Amino acid sequence: MSGQPKRLLRNLNAKIAALPMILTTLVVFVGGTVWTVVYSFTDSKLLPRLRWVGLDQYERLWSNSRWLISIENLLFYGVMSLVFTIGMGFLLAVLMDQKIRFEDTFRTIMLYPFALSFIVTGLVWQWILNPQFGVQEIVRSWGWESFNFDPLNNPDTVLYGLLIAGLWQGTGFVMCLMLAGLRGIDEDIWKAARVDGIPTWKTYLVVIVPMMRPVFITTLVIVAAGIIRLYDLVVAQTSGGPGGNASQVPAMYVYDYMFQAQNLGQGFAASTMMLVSVLIVLIPWAYLEFGGKRNG
Amino acid sequence: MTQSISVKDLTLNFGAVSVLQKMNLDVAEGEFIVLLGPSGCGKSTLLNCLAGLLDITDGQIWIKGKNVTWAEPSERGIGMVFQSYALYPQMTVRGNLSFGLKNARMPAAEIEKRVARAAEILQIGPLLDRKPGALSGGQRQRVAIGRALVRDVDVFLFDEPLSNLDAKLRSELRVEIKRLHERLKNTMVYVTHDQIEALTLADRIAVMKGGVIQQLADPQTIYNRPTNLFVAGFIGSPAMNMLPVKTIDNGRAFQFGSTRIDLAGYDGGAVLERDNAILGVRPEHITIRTEAVPGRTIPAEVEIDEHLGADSLLWLKAEGREMCVRIPVEGRLPSGSQVHLMLDMPKASLFDAKTEQRI
């Protein structure tokens, strides 16, 4: 085993250069994560302290109606958002792939919302959906006096209001990923399918989509991770309202307990639950992407 | 013989770029036609037009006596094999073979029969339940041929099917395609840039350049009587020796540098007296003599002797020009040797330097 020390010294410069980032990752990300998980088992209030209370924080978390609503909201928003961003993104990509003119222009327009922060998106859509300035007012000014469109102030529809803004922001990005995936498909596959007499829609569904599996998985992970940390859009659009918590999401719960209610232990417990949910998304993905070689 | 494919005045423009101009091509039933040419010569484009994968600008395409100019690829009675195999990766080999048939709502028993027959012909029976990812390149291309086979069509189109394979597999599969043609007697149109494939497979070769068929003839004619300088230079490895000459004596002889050679036996048109002509002689149509024969040999000096195993290539300098001669291994010569080259005049080709056409 005389090769061991030599291997450590190989590419020494690169290793030294990578050291700060490795340390940052270890200390800030991994360290911070472990620290958070550890302190979620304590009764820390304003300041962290190591007084163990076991699973108390988790019990309190899961019996808090606000947390339960947050989870429910996130589930609803998440499923809808996943289905629609990926569905619409793919559809737009297919349309873009029809050798259209001005493709670059369309792509830029579609991708533009992605360049905006969620706060800006949230505010813009708050105004658009606002009954006094937005769509309702415009339609009424055209003469339809009884027109009602006020999704953000109705607890039953507020999530759709969030969804519109979220889709507007995220679909363009998904479209770009999908377009790259479509472009990566060998043109001969299309020719072969045409010679075989397979209709275009069926070729997409039965041949192309399965071939784009890696792209779909990557997109799924990126979109899902974005959904779980959903926060700023809600803050900018509804602040969790109406009715106090009709559009609450877990990230808001974490923030409020850590920095408003000064109950660190409870915030840590909630963020640990979020970490768990992220891992539930990530681990199967990592397994599919890097584990199963046979799917090459 | 009846025409299987008939291309009439086919023109294809991409915007302002003209890719194919007024092309005419008739392929007889059961004929193996190879479209040969350098990349960008329009050979694959022509094939895609035949398949219906490209909409043509003008002209007509007839297959089996039917005008299919505007028919869908699947309705033309063709099967196609692609360079990149283009198999559906998530389907098994069986799935790949039967996908098109299933889509056409063919009875399952008939599909089963056709798949079994293709598997038997191509010897892919044991692979039927594997996915393309688990197959080697040669096996994949066999499956791709099978996908054309099950369609039970009259015309097979091959788009550089062997280019992605290594040399050994390529020659194996080449023989197999030849055998397939012998057995099925289908019309086959085969695109390649590999002259060996063209010369070995074709009944007739269409040498293409710049969207125009330069010469359409059987391999022997293409090789021995190239119609112009391009065909002469493109076919043959190493390339034909091209000697700038001047024909004299009312076309009875030519002057190469300071050497005068009789043109007796030249197989061609009226040579006349031309100041700028090019004499093309293949390396194997020159023999080495130790002694000069006046009016028949060119003096030369050996530069390099390349041993190829079966024979060897002698690179020489004659009248200041590089020349190459293929000789038997026993006749190898050290560099610096003074020799005399005798040209096999009946097999030589004479071109006009200006028009580049064979005389």
Coordinates of all heavy atoms in Angstrom, one line a residue, chain B residues 232-278:
Chain B
A232 N -12.5 9.5 -61.4 CA -11.2 8.8 -61.5 C -10.5 9.0 -60.2 O -9.9 8.1 -59.6 CB -10.4 9.4 -62.6
G233 N -10.5 10.2 -59.6 CA -9.7 10.5 -58.4 C -10.4 10.0 -57.2 O -9.8 9.6 -56.2
F234 N -11.8 9.9 -57.2 CA -12.5 9.5 -56.0 C -12.4 8.0 -55.7 O -12.3 7.5 -54.6 CB -13.9 9.9 -56.1 CG -14.7 9.8 -54.8 CD1 -14.5 10.6 -53.7 CD2 -15.6 8.7 -54.6 CE1 -15.2 10.5 -52.6 CE2 -16.3 8.5 -53.4 CZ -16.1 9.4 -52.4
I235 N -12.4 7.2 -56.8 CA -12.4 5.8 -56.7 C -11.0 5.3 -56.8 O -10.2 5.7 -57.6 CB -13.2 5.1 -57.9 CG1 -14.6 5.7 -57.9 CG2 -13.2 3.6 -57.8 CD1 -15.6 4.9 -57.0
G236 N -10.7 4.3 -56.0 CA -9.4 3.7 -56.0 C -8.5 4.2 -54.8 O -8.5 5.4 -54.5
S237 N -7.8 3.2 -54.2 CA -6.9 3.6 -53.1 C -5.7 2.7 -53.2 O -5.8 1.5 -53.2 CB -7.6 3.4 -51.8 OG -6.7 3.6 -50.8
P238 N -4.5 3.2 -53.4 CA -4.2 4.7 -53.5 C -4.8 5.2 -54.8 O -5.1 4.5 -55.7 CB -2.7 4.7 -53.5 CG -2.2 3.4 -53.9 CD -3.3 2.4 -53.4
A239 N -4.8 6.6 -54.9 CA -5.5 7.2 -56.0 C -4.8 6.9 -57.3 O -3.6 6.6 -57.3 CB -5.6 8.7 -55.7
M240 N -5.5 7.1 -58.4 CA -5.0 6.9 -59.7 C -3.9 7.9 -59.9 O -3.9 9.0 -59.4 CB -6.1 7.2 -60.7 CG -5.9 6.9 -62.1 SD -7.3 7.4 -63.1 CE -8.0 5.9 -63.5
N241 N -2.8 7.5 -60.6 CA -1.7 8.4 -61.0 C -2.3 9.4 -62.1 O -2.8 8.9 -63.1 CB -0.5 7.7 -61.6 CG 0.1 6.8 -60.5 OD1 0.6 7.3 -59.5 ND2 0.1 5.5 -60.7
M242 N -2.1 10.7 -61.9 CA -2.6 11.6 -62.8 C -1.4 12.3 -63.5 O -0.7 13.1 -62.8 CB -3.5 12.6 -62.2 CG -4.7 12.0 -61.5 SD -5.9 11.5 -62.7 CE -7.3 11.1 -61.6
L243 N -1.1 12.1 -64.7 CA 0.1 12.7 -65.3 C -0.3 13.7 -66.3 O -1.2 13.5 -67.2 CB 0.8 11.6 -66.1 CG 1.1 10.3 -65.3 CD1 1.8 9.3 -66.2 CD2 1.9 10.6 -64.1
P244 N 0.2 14.9 -66.2 CA -0.1 16.0 -67.2 C 0.6 15.7 -68.5 O 1.9 15.6 -68.4 CB 0.4 17.3 -66.5 CG 1.4 16.8 -65.5 CD 1.1 15.4 -65.1
V245 N -0.1 15.5 -69.5 CA 0.6 15.1 -70.8 C 0.1 16.0 -71.9 O -0.9 16.8 -71.8 CB 0.3 13.6 -71.1 CG1 0.8 12.7 -70.1 CG2 -1.2 13.4 -71.4
K246 N 0.7 15.8 -73.0 CA 0.4 16.5 -74.3 C 0.2 15.4 -75.3 O 1.1 14.6 -75.5 CB 1.5 17.4 -74.6 CG 1.3 18.5 -75.5 CD 2.4 19.6 -75.3 CE 3.0 20.0 -76.6 NZ 4.1 20.9 -76.4
T247 N -1.0 15.4 -76.0 CA -1.1 14.4 -77.0 C -0.5 14.9 -78.3 O -0.8 16.1 -78.7 CB -2.5 13.9 -77.2 OG1 -3.3 15.1 -77.5 CG2 -3.1 13.3 -76.0
I248 N 0.2 14.1 -79.0 CA 0.9 14.5 -80.2 C 0.6 13.5 -81.3 O -0.1 12.5 -81.1 CB 2.4 14.6 -80.0 CG1 2.9 13.4 -79.3 CG2 2.7 15.9 -79.1 CD1 4.4 13.3 -79.1
D249 N 1.2 13.8 -82.5 CA 1.2 12.8 -83.6 C -0.3 12.4 -83.9 O -0.6 11.3 -84.1 CB 1.9 11.5 -83.1 CG 3.3 11.4 -83.8 OD1 3.6 12.4 -84.4 OD2 3.9 10.4 -83.6
N250 N -1.1 13.5 -84.0 CA -2.5 13.2 -84.3 C -3.2 12.2 -83.4 O -4.0 11.4 -83.8 CB -2.6 12.6 -85.8 CG -3.7 13.4 -86.5 OD1 -4.5 14.0 -85.9 ND2 -3.6 13.3 -87.8
G251 N -2.8 12.3 -82.1 CA -3.4 11.4 -81.1 C -2.9 10.0 -81.1 O -3.5 9.1 -80.4
R252 N -1.8 9.8 -81.7 CA -1.2 8.4 -81.7 C -0.2 8.2 -80.5 O 0.2 7.1 -80.2 CB -0.5 8.1 -83.0 CG -1.5 7.7 -84.1 CD -0.8 7.0 -85.2 NE 0.1 7.9 -85.9 CZ -0.4 8.7 -86.9 NH1 -1.6 8.6 -87.3 NH2 0.4 9.5 -87.5
A253 N 0.2 9.3 -79.9 CA 1.1 9.2 -78.8 C 1.0 10.4 -77.8 O 0.2 11.3 -78.1 CB 2.6 9.2 -79.3
F254 N 1.6 10.3 -76.7 CA 1.6 11.5 -75.8 C 3.0 11.8 -75.3 O 3.9 10.9 -75.3 CB 0.6 11.3 -74.7 CG 1.0 10.3 -73.6 CD1 1.9 10.6 -72.6 CD2 0.5 9.0 -73.7 CE1 2.2 9.7 -71.7 CE2 0.8 8.1 -72.8 CZ 1.7 8.4 -71.7
Q255 N 3.2 13.0 -74.9 CA 4.4 13.5 -74.4 C 4.3 13.8 -72.9 O 3.5 14.5 -72.5 CB 4.8 14.8 -75.1 CG 6.1 15.4 -74.8 CD 7.2 14.8 -75.7 OE1 7.0 14.4 -76.8 NE2 8.4 14.6 -75.1
F256 N 5.1 13.1 -72.1 CA 5.1 13.3 -70.7 C 6.5 13.7 -70.3 O 7.4 12.9 -70.3 CB 4.7 12.0 -70.0 CG 4.8 12.0 -68.5 CD1 4.3 13.1 -67.7 CD2 5.5 11.0 -67.8 CE1 4.4 13.1 -66.3 CE2 5.6 11.1 -66.4 CZ 5.1 12.1 -65.7
G257 N 6.6 15.0 -69.9 CA 7.9 15.6 -69.7 C 8.7 15.4 -71.0 O 8.3 15.8 -72.0
S258 N 9.8 14.7 -70.9 CA 10.7 14.5 -72.0 C 10.4 13.1 -72.7 O 11.1 12.8 -73.6 CB 12.1 14.7 -71.7 OG 12.5 13.8 -70.6
T259 N 9.5 12.4 -72.1 CA 9.3 11.0 -72.6 C 8.1 11.0 -73.6 O 7.1 11.6 -73.3 CB 9.0 10.0 -71.4 OG1 9.9 10.3 -70.4 CG2 9.1 8.6 -71.9
R260 N 8.3 10.2 -74.6 CA 7.2 10.1 -75.6 C 6.7 8.6 -75.5 O 7.5 7.7 -75.6 CB 7.7 10.4 -77.0 CG 6.7 10.3 -78.1 CD 7.4 10.4 -79.5 NE 6.5 10.3 -80.5 CZ 6.0 9.1 -81.0 NH1 6.4 8.0 -80.4 NH2 5.1 9.1 -82.0
I261 N 5.4 8.5 -75.4 CA 4.8 7.1 -75.2 C 3.7 6.9 -76.3 O 2.9 7.8 -76.5 CB 4.2 6.9 -73.8 CG1 5.2 7.2 -72.7 CG2 3.6 5.5 -73.7 CD1 6.2 6.1 -72.4
D262 N 3.7 5.8 -76.9 CA 2.6 5.4 -77.8 C 1.3 5.3 -77.1 O 1.2 4.7 -76.0 CB 3.0 4.1 -78.5 CG 4.1 4.3 -79.5 OD1 4.3 5.5 -79.9 OD2 4.8 3.3 -79.8
L263 N 0.3 5.8 -77.7 CA -1.1 5.6 -77.2 C -1.8 4.4 -77.7 O -3.0 4.2 -77.6 CB -1.9 6.8 -77.4 CG -2.0 7.8 -76.3 CD1 -2.7 9.1 -76.8 CD2 -2.8 7.3 -75.1
A264 N -1.0 3.5 -78.4 CA -1.6 2.4 -79.0 C -2.4 1.5 -78.0 O -1.9 1.2 -76.9 CB -0.5 1.5 -79.7
G265 N -3.6 1.2 -78.4 CA -4.4 0.3 -77.5 C -5.3 1.1 -76.6 O -6.1 0.6 -75.9
Y266 N -5.2 2.5 -76.6 CA -6.0 3.3 -75.7 C -7.5 3.1 -76.1 O -7.9 3.1 -77.2 CB -5.7 4.7 -75.7 CG -6.6 5.6 -74.9 CD1 -6.6 5.5 -73.5 CD2 -7.5 6.4 -75.5 CE1 -7.5 6.2 -72.8 CE2 -8.4 7.2 -74.8 CZ -8.4 7.0 -73.4 OH -9.3 7.7 -72.6
D267 N -8.3 2.9 -75.1 CA -9.7 2.5 -75.3 C -10.6 3.8 -75.0 O -10.9 4.0 -73.9 CB -10.1 1.4 -74.3 CG -11.5 0.9 -74.5 OD1 -12.1 1.2 -75.5 OD2 -12.0 0.3 -73.5
G268 N -10.8 4.5 -76.0 CA -11.6 5.8 -75.8 C -11.9 6.4 -77.1 O -11.8 5.8 -78.2
G269 N -12.3 7.7 -77.0 CA -12.7 8.4 -78.2 C -11.5 9.0 -79.0 O -10.4 8.5 -78.9
A270 N -11.8 10.0 -79.9 CA -10.8 10.6 -80.7 C -9.9 11.4 -79.8 O -10.3 12.4 -79.2 CB -11.4 11.4 -81.8
V271 N -8.6 11.0 -79.8 CA -7.7 11.7 -78.9 C -7.3 13.1 -79.4 O -7.2 14.1 -78.7 CB -6.4 10.8 -78.7 CG1 -5.4 11.5 -77.8 CG2 -6.9 9.5 -78.0
L272 N -7.0 13.1 -80.7 CA -6.6 14.4 -81.4 C -5.3 14.9 -80.7 O -4.6 14.2 -80.0 CB -7.7 15.4 -81.3 CG -9.1 15.0 -81.8 CD1 -10.1 16.1 -81.6 CD2 -9.0 14.6 -83.3
E273 N -4.9 16.1 -81.1 CA -3.7 16.7 -80.5 C -4.2 17.7 -79.5 O -4.8 18.7 -79.8 CB -2.9 17.4 -81.6 CG -2.1 16.3 -82.4 CD -1.1 16.9 -83.3 OE1 -0.8 18.1 -83.1 OE2 -0.6 16.2 -84.1
R274 N -3.9 17.5 -78.2 CA -4.3 18.4 -77.2 C -3.0 18.8 -76.4 O -2.2 17.9 -76.0 CB -5.3 17.7 -76.2 CG -6.6 17.4 -76.9 CD -7.4 16.5 -76.0 NE -8.3 15.7 -76.8 CZ -9.7 15.9 -76.9 NH1 -10.2 16.8 -76.2 NH2 -10.4 15.1 -77.6
D275 N -3.0 20.1 -76.0 CA -1.8 20.6 -75.3 C -2.0 20.2 -73.8 O -1.0 20.0 -73.1 CB -1.6 22.1 -75.4 CG -1.1 22.4 -76.8 OD1 -0.6 21.4 -77.4 OD2 -1.1 23.5 -77.2
N276 N -3.2 20.2 -73.3 CA -3.5 20.0 -71.9 C -4.4 18.8 -71.7 O -5.6 18.9 -71.8 CB -4.1 21.2 -71.2 CG -3.1 22.3 -71.1 OD1 -2.0 22.1 -70.5 ND2 -3.4 23.5 -71.6
A277 N -3.7 17.6 -71.5 CA -4.5 16.4 -71.2 C -4.0 15.8 -70.0 O -2.9 16.1 -69.5 CB -4.5 15.5 -72.4
I278 N -4.8 15.0 -69.4 CA -4.3 14.3 -68.2 C -4.5 12.8 -68.4 O -5.5 12.3 -68.8 CB -5.1 14.7 -66.9 CG1 -4.7 16.2 -66.6 CG2 -4.8 13.8 -65.7 CD1 -5.5 16.8 -65.6

